[in-house]
Amino acid sequence: AASTAVLSSTGCTAFSTRDPLTTAGKLSWRNPLQIPPLAEATVSGNTRAFTLTAQTGSSTFLPGKTTPTWGYNGNFLGPTLRASAGEKVAITFTNSLPEPTALHWHGMQLPAAMDGGPHQLIDTGATWSPTWTITQDAATLWYHPHPHGQTEAHVTRGLAGFFLIDDDNPAGEQLPHEYGVDDIPLVVQDRTIEKDGTFTIDKNRAVTGLVGNTILVNGTVTPYLPVTTSTVRLRILNGSSARIYNFGFADDREFQQVATDNGLLAKPLTGTRIPLSPGERAEIVVAVAAGEKAVLRSYPQDLRMTIAQGNGAGGADTLDILELRGAATVVPSLAVPAALAAYTRLDREAADETRGFELNGRQINGKTMDMSRIDTVVAAGACEVWTVKNSHAQAHNFHVHNARFQVIEMDGKQPEGYLDGWKDTVFLPARSTAVIIMKMSSYTDPNLPYMYHCHMLWHEDLGMMGQFTIVKPDEVDTAPRTIEMSE
Ligand code: C2O
Ligand code: CU
């Protein structure tokens, strides 16, 4: 019992979604944080090629317990892919899993055939080779499976990885940028580990999906990170199925938020909390003094659900996530630049189209996902304002493929600063409304849709998802509304 890898004082198996979980100050920080390796790339001319294989394996999270897991090029999670704006990316992906999967590039702007959504299902033993040119700014993106109905199970078993985009914005060089040293990717996930070591997958869900009692950061239980520089940049990804975090530090120290989902903010935002729902990212820079310990924590937050439901989504929990350990001497870091990324705020008045999406139950606009139905057809290049209303008494969120958007209104008000910049996923507490604005990309294929959906993976699996195509502006009215499905 000297091991405190198990978070709940009641142990792994007695977890009830109604009991708030707290590990504040209780963990003994035994495991060095694992850093996902950078994927090896083959570069020829302007093309950067990566090879990924989804495979089965096993991992040890709790002492003496073997957990069957899935990973990309390994046992659990996947390597970090990294490419620069303007480069062409070529992926060779092989599915060595016992069942079909799909590989989606979350936050990426790319043709629908490369998107890796539910229509690009890859059979066992098959290889898929998407290729596209990076047309967006520096950002912390990620990749994960997207097979319709199976996404929660595939991600829970371990499939996910980072995809970092670099660009020539000089701010990128001034921010901490040495991967694994002062620039640290953190995928924060929760699991429940059964007595026999297996992950809980298909049972005991909260209203939002699987909410576990064991936190994994980059696949590490109770992790600590030695810090050798005076500030460290944390690229935080909520890679959980359903748990909603509210990140801060145990001593409430301030940090500077420098990026949201899809890129750097215009200027750093100083704060003490950053809430992230599944799929969302934030980059923060925090100072750690020599010899000091700083604990990244997730604090309770108001999800506007009932207590029992809120606990189910983690809303009442206080969880210690990662201990930063300042070395005896630290190398001074550069100050965070006052100007980060220059981007224009999209003008609501200039919108070409406005649409409404209502989330309720497990449906969007009263419909459950139908892969043969195209719900929305948008014109290439159009500036669109989408009002996303969560009418439900439960929390959801909303993610749009192939798009980056700005949140221009939350519940009729100016959004909080942490929602600034380019986002691709927005959290919607129970009975809340977000207004987002985005510029659609050029047209791709009128027969091949992109997705918008709740990113709570179980909700997505249950069909809380819709499909949209991007077509030539003069073909919006005539573009297909149905897709012929083979088999
Ligand atoms: Cu991160 Cu449609 O997904
Ligand atoms: Cu949902």
Side-chain angles (χ1 to χ4, degrees):
S3 149
T4 51
V6 177
L7 303 192
S8 162
S9 53
T10 55
C12 271
T13 50
F15 177 57
S16 154
T17 59
R18 285 163 198 273
D19 298 330
L21 201 59
T22 182
T23 63
K26 288 185 193 164
L27 304 177
S28 66
W29 312 108
R30 301 177 309 121
N31 301 304
L33 176 75
Q34 296 174 56
I35 305 291
L38 284 171
E40 277 181 45
T42 312
V43 179
S44 79
N46 193 38
T47 302
R48 188 170 284 272
F50 297 99
T51 303
L52 286 176
T53 301
Q55 58 197 65
T56 61
S58 67
S59 307
T60 301
F61 300 106
L62 299 183
K65 288 194 177 171
T66 301
T67 306
T69 49
W70 290 2
Y72 296 111
N73 298 359
N75 287 310
F76 190 71
L77 299 174
T80 297
L81 308 191
R82 189 153 204 175
S84 296
E87 278 186 318
K88 196 172 162 189
V89 170
I91 311 275
T92 304
F93 170 65
T94 302
N95 177 12
S96 296
L97 301 172
E99 58 187 86
T101 190
L103 178 51
H104 170 60
W105 317 100
H106 181 125
M108 197 74 77
Q109 296 163 39
L110 75 188
M114 312 301 168
D115 189 46
H119 292 272
Q120 286 92 46
L121 204 61
I122 315 304
D123 277 332
T124 297
T127 292
W128 179 55
S129 305
T131 174
W132 70 93
T133 299
I134 307 268
T135 59
Q136 62 201 100
D137 304 324
T140 300
L141 310 185
W142 63 300
Y143 59 96
H144 64 76
H146 217 306
H148 189 46
Q150 296 300 319
T151 296
E152 187 188 58
H154 285 205
V155 173
T156 299
R157 290 188 178 111
L159 296 179
F162 282 94
F163 198 134
L164 307 185
I165 295 183
D166 300 305
D167 65 14
D168 56 13
N169 178 352
E173 293 283 302
Q174 291 169 60
L175 290 168
H177 63 277
E178 211 183 319
Y179 184 83
V181 176
D182 60 5
D183 181 356
I184 311 292
L186 298 178
V187 52
V188 182
Q189 301 176 302
D190 58 336
R191 297 288 190 277
T192 299
I193 300 175
E194 307 272 343
K195 276 204 181 98
D196 65 356
T198 57
F199 286 145
T200 297
I201 299 220
D202 208 16
K203 58 176 191 216
N204 296 337
R205 287 190 182 88
V207 293
T208 45
L210 285 173
V211 177
N213 60 357
T214 302
I215 300 293
L216 305 178
V217 185
N218 300 344
T220 320
V221 180
T222 60
Y224 67 88
L225 175 73
V227 174
T228 55
T229 50
S230 62
T231 69
V232 62
R233 173 188 191 175
L234 305 176
R235 301 179 187 244
I236 308 173
L237 157 64
N238 180 349
S240 303
S241 175
R243 184 181 276 281
I244 297 155
Y245 300 88
N246 185 19
F247 292 105
F249 284 86
D251 60 359
D252 276 328
R253 75 181 53 203
E254 288 187 332
F255 53 80
Q256 287 173 291
Q257 184 188 351
V258 296
T260 39
D261 300 340
N262 222 296
L264 295 175
L265 296 172
K267 51 182 186 345
L269 174 72
T270 301
T272 59
R273 291 289 184 275
I274 174 86
L276 293 180
S277 68
E280 289 185 290
R281 287 89 69 208
E283 296 181 32
I284 65 170
V285 175
V286 63
V288 181
E292 181 182 51
K293 288 181 178 170
V295 173
L296 180 68
R297 179 171 283 181
S298 177
Y299 283 92
Q301 62 186 310
D302 182 8
L303 308 177
R304 297 191 222 163
M305 299 204 284
T306 64
I307 295 290
Q309 292 171 334
N311 291 351
D317 298 345
T318 310
L319 302 171
D320 284 350
I321 306 291
L322 170 70
E323 185 178 75
L324 303 175
R325 290 185 185 171
T329 55
V330 292
V331 180
S333 308
L334 297 176
V336 170
L340 295 169
Y343 56 81
T344 25
R345 285 178 194 278
L346 299 179
D347 177 9
R348 191 173 191 166
E349 304 306 315
D352 300 298
E353 191 69 63
T354 60
R355 298 177 203 274
F357 297 87
E358 187 180 17
L359 313 184
N360 206 344
R362 305 288 177 251
Q363 297 184 315
I364 300 177
N365 287 345
K367 289 181 182 152
T368 301
M369 165 79 158
D370 177 345
M371 283 181 62
S372 68
R373 183 188 69 228
I374 293 172
D375 298 277
T376 307
V377 177
V378 308
C383 178
E384 299 234 348
V385 170
W386 291 10
T387 298
V388 188
K389 181 177 184 194
N390 177 7
S391 310
H392 199 200
Q394 296 177 11
H396 296 286
N397 72 8
F398 193 75
H399 168 54
V400 186
H401 284 207
N402 186 48
R404 55 181 193 178
F405 55 72
Q406 294 167 1
V407 183
I408 52 176
E409 206 181 284
M410 263 320 274
D411 289 331
K413 294 196 286 279
Q414 169 89 18
E416 301 279 346
Y418 63 80
L419 294 173
D420 223 357
W422 292 113
K423 301 236 343 128
D424 55 49
T425 308
V426 63
F427 177 50
L428 290 148
R431 297 199 175 90
S432 65
T433 302
V435 180
I436 62 176
I437 187 166
M438 62 200 144
K439 191 161 163 41
M440 292 295 166
S441 72
S442 55
Y443 65 90
T444 55
D445 182 339
N447 292 294
L448 207 48
Y450 296 101
M451 308 293 134
Y452 49 80
H453 57 88
C454 178
H455 213 289
M456 291 171 177
L457 304 179
W458 181 52
H459 291 179
E460 166 182 348
D461 283 339
L462 290 176
M464 200 167 190
M465 176 146 54
Q467 310 198 96
F468 72 104
T469 51
I470 304 177
V471 306
K472 293 179 188 166
D474 59 355
E475 290 174 1
V476 167
D477 293 334
T478 54
R481 259 57 180 181
T482 55
I483 303 169
E484 265 189 57
M485 305 285 298
S486 50
E487 291 159 59

mmCIF file of all heavy atoms in Angstrom, residues 104-107 115 117-118 142 144-146 279 399 401 425 451-453 455 457 460 465, ligand 1:
data_model
loop_
_atom_site.group_PDB
_atom_site.id
_atom_site.type_symbol
_atom_site.label_atom_id
_atom_site.label_comp_id
_atom_site.label_asym_id
_atom_site.label_seq_id
_atom_site.Cartn_x
_atom_site.Cartn_y
_atom_site.Cartn_z
ATOM 1 N N HIS A 104 -8.041 10.004 -37.756
ATOM 2 C CA HIS A 104 -8.448 11.393 -38.002
ATOM 3 C C HIS A 104 -7.414 12.379 -37.474
ATOM 4 O O HIS A 104 -6.836 12.178 -36.408
ATOM 5 C CB HIS A 104 -9.806 11.638 -37.308
ATOM 6 C CG HIS A 104 -10.204 13.075 -37.282
ATOM 7 N ND1 HIS A 104 -10.377 13.823 -38.431
ATOM 8 C CD2 HIS A 104 -10.469 13.921 -36.256
ATOM 9 C CE1 HIS A 104 -10.732 15.063 -38.094
ATOM 10 N NE2 HIS A 104 -10.787 15.152 -36.788
ATOM 11 N N TRP A 105 -7.226 13.463 -38.219
ATOM 12 C CA TRP A 105 -6.250 14.505 -37.867
ATOM 13 C C TRP A 105 -7.031 15.671 -37.271
ATOM 14 O O TRP A 105 -7.515 16.539 -37.989
ATOM 15 C CB TRP A 105 -5.471 14.914 -39.118
ATOM 16 C CG TRP A 105 -5.070 13.713 -39.924
ATOM 17 C CD1 TRP A 105 -5.682 13.231 -41.041
ATOM 18 C CD2 TRP A 105 -3.993 12.805 -39.638
ATOM 19 N NE1 TRP A 105 -5.051 12.083 -41.472
ATOM 20 C CE2 TRP A 105 -4.015 11.801 -40.627
ATOM 21 C CE3 TRP A 105 -3.019 12.745 -38.640
ATOM 22 C CZ2 TRP A 105 -3.090 10.740 -40.654
ATOM 23 C CZ3 TRP A 105 -2.108 11.700 -38.659
ATOM 24 C CH2 TRP A 105 -2.150 10.717 -39.661
ATOM 25 N N HIS A 106 -7.138 15.678 -35.963
ATOM 26 C CA HIS A 106 -8.008 16.639 -35.275
ATOM 27 C C HIS A 106 -7.416 18.051 -35.335
ATOM 28 O O HIS A 106 -6.318 18.283 -34.864
ATOM 29 C CB HIS A 106 -8.207 16.201 -33.814
ATOM 30 C CG HIS A 106 -9.086 17.099 -33.022
ATOM 31 N ND1 HIS A 106 -10.205 16.648 -32.343
ATOM 32 C CD2 HIS A 106 -9.051 18.426 -32.798
ATOM 33 C CE1 HIS A 106 -10.788 17.663 -31.741
ATOM 34 N NE2 HIS A 106 -10.099 18.753 -31.997
ATOM 35 N N GLY A 107 -8.186 18.970 -35.928
ATOM 36 C CA GLY A 107 -7.760 20.364 -36.018
ATOM 37 C C GLY A 107 -7.081 20.711 -37.329
ATOM 38 O O GLY A 107 -6.734 21.860 -37.566
ATOM 39 N N ASP A 115 -9.211 13.323 -44.375
ATOM 40 C CA ASP A 115 -9.626 13.726 -43.025
ATOM 41 C C ASP A 115 -9.637 12.566 -42.033
ATOM 42 O O ASP A 115 -9.450 12.755 -40.834
ATOM 43 C CB ASP A 115 -11.027 14.348 -43.133
ATOM 44 C CG ASP A 115 -11.486 14.995 -41.849
ATOM 45 O OD1 ASP A 115 -10.684 15.734 -41.241
ATOM 46 O OD2 ASP A 115 -12.642 14.774 -41.452
ATOM 47 N N GLY A 117 -12.157 10.580 -41.231
ATOM 48 C CA GLY A 117 -13.404 10.441 -40.490
ATOM 49 C C GLY A 117 -14.021 9.067 -40.714
ATOM 50 O O GLY A 117 -13.376 8.160 -41.273
ATOM 51 N N PRO A 118 -15.287 8.900 -40.301
ATOM 52 C CA PRO A 118 -15.938 7.594 -40.372
ATOM 53 C C PRO A 118 -16.023 7.011 -41.791
ATOM 54 O O PRO A 118 -16.179 5.799 -41.944
ATOM 55 C CB PRO A 118 -17.350 7.869 -39.841
ATOM 56 C CG PRO A 118 -17.279 9.172 -39.133
ATOM 57 C CD PRO A 118 -16.107 9.921 -39.665
ATOM 58 N N TRP A 142 -3.847 17.014 -32.849
ATOM 59 C CA TRP A 142 -3.650 15.618 -32.437
ATOM 60 C C TRP A 142 -4.333 14.687 -33.402
ATOM 61 O O TRP A 142 -5.065 15.141 -34.295
ATOM 62 C CB TRP A 142 -4.093 15.415 -30.991
ATOM 63 C CG TRP A 142 -5.538 15.624 -30.609
ATOM 64 C CD1 TRP A 142 -6.272 16.759 -30.737
ATOM 65 C CD2 TRP A 142 -6.385 14.661 -29.958
ATOM 66 N NE1 TRP A 142 -7.530 16.570 -30.210
ATOM 67 C CE2 TRP A 142 -7.628 15.299 -29.730
ATOM 68 C CE3 TRP A 142 -6.222 13.336 -29.548
ATOM 69 C CZ2 TRP A 142 -8.703 14.631 -29.114
ATOM 70 C CZ3 TRP A 142 -7.283 12.691 -28.938
ATOM 71 C CH2 TRP A 142 -8.508 13.342 -28.723
ATOM 72 N N HIS A 144 -6.349 10.784 -33.760
ATOM 73 C CA HIS A 144 -7.042 9.745 -32.988
ATOM 74 C C HIS A 144 -7.989 8.988 -33.909
ATOM 75 O O HIS A 144 -8.311 9.460 -34.995
ATOM 76 C CB HIS A 144 -7.792 10.370 -31.799
ATOM 77 C CG HIS A 144 -8.906 11.307 -32.178
ATOM 78 N ND1 HIS A 144 -10.124 10.879 -32.647
ATOM 79 C CD2 HIS A 144 -8.973 12.664 -32.158
ATOM 80 C CE1 HIS A 144 -10.895 11.937 -32.888
ATOM 81 N NE2 HIS A 144 -10.224 13.028 -32.613
ATOM 82 N N PRO A 145 -8.474 7.821 -33.465
ATOM 83 C CA PRO A 145 -9.382 7.033 -34.301
ATOM 84 C C PRO A 145 -10.763 7.692 -34.417
ATOM 85 O O PRO A 145 -11.137 8.496 -33.564
ATOM 86 C CB PRO A 145 -9.517 5.702 -33.563
ATOM 87 C CG PRO A 145 -8.591 5.761 -32.405
ATOM 88 C CD PRO A 145 -8.187 7.167 -32.179
ATOM 89 N N HIS A 146 -11.502 7.327 -35.459
ATOM 90 C CA HIS A 146 -12.830 7.913 -35.688
ATOM 91 C C HIS A 146 -13.781 6.911 -36.332
ATOM 92 O O HIS A 146 -14.614 7.299 -37.157
ATOM 93 C CB HIS A 146 -12.675 9.148 -36.579
ATOM 94 C CG HIS A 146 -13.574 10.294 -36.265
ATOM 95 N ND1 HIS A 146 -14.954 10.167 -36.174
ATOM 96 C CD2 HIS A 146 -13.303 11.596 -36.042
ATOM 97 C CE1 HIS A 146 -15.464 11.366 -35.917
ATOM 98 N NE2 HIS A 146 -14.491 12.255 -35.819
ATOM 99 N N GLY A 279 -10.983 16.915 -26.203
ATOM 100 C CA GLY A 279 -10.559 17.367 -27.528
ATOM 101 C C GLY A 279 -9.916 18.735 -27.518
ATOM 102 O O GLY A 279 -9.152 19.069 -28.423
ATOM 103 N N HIS A 399 -17.356 20.172 -31.891
ATOM 104 C CA HIS A 399 -16.114 20.197 -32.665
ATOM 105 C C HIS A 399 -16.463 20.217 -34.148
ATOM 106 O O HIS A 399 -17.367 19.516 -34.582
ATOM 107 C CB HIS A 399 -15.285 18.949 -32.330
ATOM 108 C CG HIS A 399 -14.132 18.699 -33.253
ATOM 109 N ND1 HIS A 399 -13.175 19.652 -33.517
ATOM 110 C CD2 HIS A 399 -13.763 17.599 -33.970
ATOM 111 C CE1 HIS A 399 -12.279 19.145 -34.368
ATOM 112 N NE2 HIS A 399 -12.618 17.904 -34.663
ATOM 113 N N HIS A 401 -14.795 19.706 -37.985
ATOM 114 C CA HIS A 401 -13.635 19.253 -38.759
ATOM 115 C C HIS A 401 -13.224 20.307 -39.793
ATOM 116 O O HIS A 401 -14.060 21.073 -40.275
ATOM 117 C CB HIS A 401 -13.976 17.966 -39.527
ATOM 118 C CG HIS A 401 -14.014 16.738 -38.665
ATOM 119 N ND1 HIS A 401 -13.765 15.478 -39.156
ATOM 120 C CD2 HIS A 401 -14.267 16.573 -37.341
ATOM 121 C CE1 HIS A 401 -13.880 14.586 -38.180
ATOM 122 N NE2 HIS A 401 -14.196 15.223 -37.066
ATOM 123 N N THR A 425 -12.883 23.301 -31.039
ATOM 124 C CA THR A 425 -13.802 22.588 -30.153
ATOM 125 C C THR A 425 -14.221 23.581 -29.074
ATOM 126 O O THR A 425 -13.373 24.306 -28.548
ATOM 127 C CB THR A 425 -13.089 21.379 -29.501
ATOM 128 O OG1 THR A 425 -12.479 20.590 -30.530
ATOM 129 C CG2 THR A 425 -14.051 20.513 -28.702
ATOM 130 N N MET A 451 -17.183 16.190 -40.585
ATOM 131 C CA MET A 451 -18.068 15.983 -39.438
ATOM 132 C C MET A 451 -18.110 17.219 -38.537
ATOM 133 O O MET A 451 -17.133 17.955 -38.441
ATOM 134 C CB MET A 451 -17.569 14.821 -38.557
ATOM 135 C CG MET A 451 -17.299 13.533 -39.293
ATOM 136 S SD MET A 451 -18.794 12.789 -39.937
ATOM 137 C CE MET A 451 -18.234 12.405 -41.601
ATOM 138 N N TYR A 452 -19.231 17.418 -37.872
ATOM 139 C CA TYR A 452 -19.268 18.243 -36.651
ATOM 140 C C TYR A 452 -19.945 17.371 -35.612
ATOM 141 O O TYR A 452 -20.830 16.590 -35.925
ATOM 142 C CB TYR A 452 -20.012 19.573 -36.864
ATOM 143 C CG TYR A 452 -21.356 19.479 -37.520
ATOM 144 C CD1 TYR A 452 -22.493 19.104 -36.797
ATOM 145 C CD2 TYR A 452 -21.504 19.774 -38.869
ATOM 146 C CE1 TYR A 452 -23.730 19.019 -37.413
ATOM 147 C CE2 TYR A 452 -22.743 19.680 -39.498
ATOM 148 C CZ TYR A 452 -23.849 19.307 -38.758
ATOM 149 O OH TYR A 452 -25.077 19.208 -39.375
ATOM 150 N N HIS A 453 -19.475 17.480 -34.375
ATOM 151 C CA HIS A 453 -20.033 16.562 -33.381
ATOM 152 C C HIS A 453 -19.662 16.943 -31.967
ATOM 153 O O HIS A 453 -18.778 17.760 -31.737
ATOM 154 C CB HIS A 453 -19.556 15.122 -33.660
ATOM 155 C CG HIS A 453 -18.065 14.935 -33.695
ATOM 156 N ND1 HIS A 453 -17.315 14.662 -32.574
ATOM 157 C CD2 HIS A 453 -17.178 14.983 -34.734
ATOM 158 C CE1 HIS A 453 -16.043 14.530 -32.920
ATOM 159 N NE2 HIS A 453 -15.923 14.731 -34.220
ATOM 160 N N HIS A 455 -17.673 16.085 -28.829
ATOM 161 C CA HIS A 455 -16.411 15.344 -28.698
ATOM 162 C C HIS A 455 -16.341 14.500 -27.428
ATOM 163 O O HIS A 455 -15.281 13.972 -27.086
ATOM 164 C CB HIS A 455 -15.210 16.282 -28.808
ATOM 165 C CG HIS A 455 -14.021 15.651 -29.456
ATOM 166 N ND1 HIS A 455 -13.262 14.678 -28.829
ATOM 167 C CD2 HIS A 455 -13.483 15.808 -30.693
ATOM 168 C CE1 HIS A 455 -12.300 14.289 -29.649
ATOM 169 N NE2 HIS A 455 -12.407 14.955 -30.789
ATOM 170 N N LEU A 457 -16.722 11.182 -26.356
ATOM 171 C CA LEU A 457 -16.595 10.132 -27.376
ATOM 172 C C LEU A 457 -17.776 9.177 -27.406
ATOM 173 O O LEU A 457 -18.160 8.680 -28.468
ATOM 174 C CB LEU A 457 -15.278 9.379 -27.183
ATOM 175 C CG LEU A 457 -14.026 10.272 -27.203
ATOM 176 C CD1 LEU A 457 -12.784 9.427 -26.990
ATOM 177 C CD2 LEU A 457 -13.915 11.055 -28.500
ATOM 178 N N GLU A 460 -20.571 10.898 -29.239
ATOM 179 C CA GLU A 460 -20.249 10.850 -30.674
ATOM 180 C C GLU A 460 -20.587 9.464 -31.239
ATOM 181 O O GLU A 460 -21.219 9.334 -32.288
ATOM 182 C CB GLU A 460 -18.762 11.189 -30.774
ATOM 183 C CG GLU A 460 -18.077 10.903 -32.062
ATOM 184 C CD GLU A 460 -16.576 11.266 -31.984
ATOM 185 O OE1 GLU A 460 -16.129 11.935 -31.021
ATOM 186 O OE2 GLU A 460 -15.859 10.896 -32.910
ATOM 187 N N MET A 465 -23.728 13.613 -33.963
ATOM 188 C CA MET A 465 -22.785 14.016 -35.013
ATOM 189 C C MET A 465 -23.570 14.342 -36.273
ATOM 190 O O MET A 465 -24.607 13.742 -36.533
ATOM 191 C CB MET A 465 -21.798 12.853 -35.256
ATOM 192 C CG MET A 465 -20.811 13.025 -36.365
ATOM 193 S SD MET A 465 -19.200 12.228 -36.009
ATOM 194 C CE MET A 465 -19.662 10.570 -35.613
HETATM 195 CU CU1 C2O B 1 -11.243 14.821 -32.555
HETATM 196 CU CU2 C2O B 1 -14.290 14.276 -35.220
HETATM 197 O O1 C2O B 1 -12.749 14.513 -33.872
#
